Amino acid sequence: MNTWSSQSRSGQNPLRTEPGVLTMYAMQDKENPCIITILETYSSDEAYKSHIASEHFQKYKQGTLHMVKNLELCDQTPLNSDNIITNTIIQYCKTKST
């Protein structure tokens, strides 16, 4: 699992750098630590497609191909549409005072 963990932490943090990437949670099964579930939410299909086309995702994907034995993508519908998550990327600029 250390190899997977290092691959998942390398590169950019999409939550901070990609508009439309709302959540990313990686979880390990307690009974079988080889089972990893990754829950990701996006604001739109376009945000998802942009994420998987990104250079850092492609690097992650190539680095973990030998670890993935089964991959299941599940498109979900929120049960409570009032719980909408919005992703706002805030960039702080440090200004030099004279």
Side-chain angles (χ1 to χ4, degrees):
M1 287 302 108
N2 289 337
T3 304
W4 180 87
S5 183
S6 66
Q7 283 293 330
S8 67
R9 289 190 202 126
S10 65
Q12 300 179 26
N13 181 342
L15 293 170
R16 294 186 185 144
T17 60
E18 295 178 38
V21 179
L22 304 178
T23 62
M24 293 191 146
Y25 299 106
M27 296 160 280
Q28 188 174 39
D29 189 271
K30 286 183 178 183
E31 293 182 19
N32 185 348
C34 292
I35 297 176
I36 303 293
T37 299
I38 303 172
L39 172 64
E40 301 177 10
T41 54
Y42 299 88
S43 62
S44 64
D45 285 339
E46 292 76 22
Y48 170 71
K49 290 174 185 172
S50 176
H51 171 68
I52 62 172
S54 68
E55 182 180 340
H56 67 91
F57 178 82
Q58 291 301 316
K59 181 179 177 183
Y60 158 78
K61 186 74 170 175
Q62 292 304 311
T64 58
L65 275 176
H66 67 284
M67 296 178 223
V68 178
K69 304 298 179 207
N70 182 32
L71 177 64
E72 181 180 347
L73 301 176
C74 304
D75 196 6
Q76 304 289 312
T77 301
L79 293 176
N80 184 349
S81 60
D82 292 335
N83 291 341
I84 300 292
I85 300 169
T86 59
N87 185 12
T88 303
I89 296 176
I90 301 172
Q91 295 181 344
Y92 295 96
C93 298
K94 189 175 184 179
T95 57
K96 187 176 183 180
S97 57
T98 56

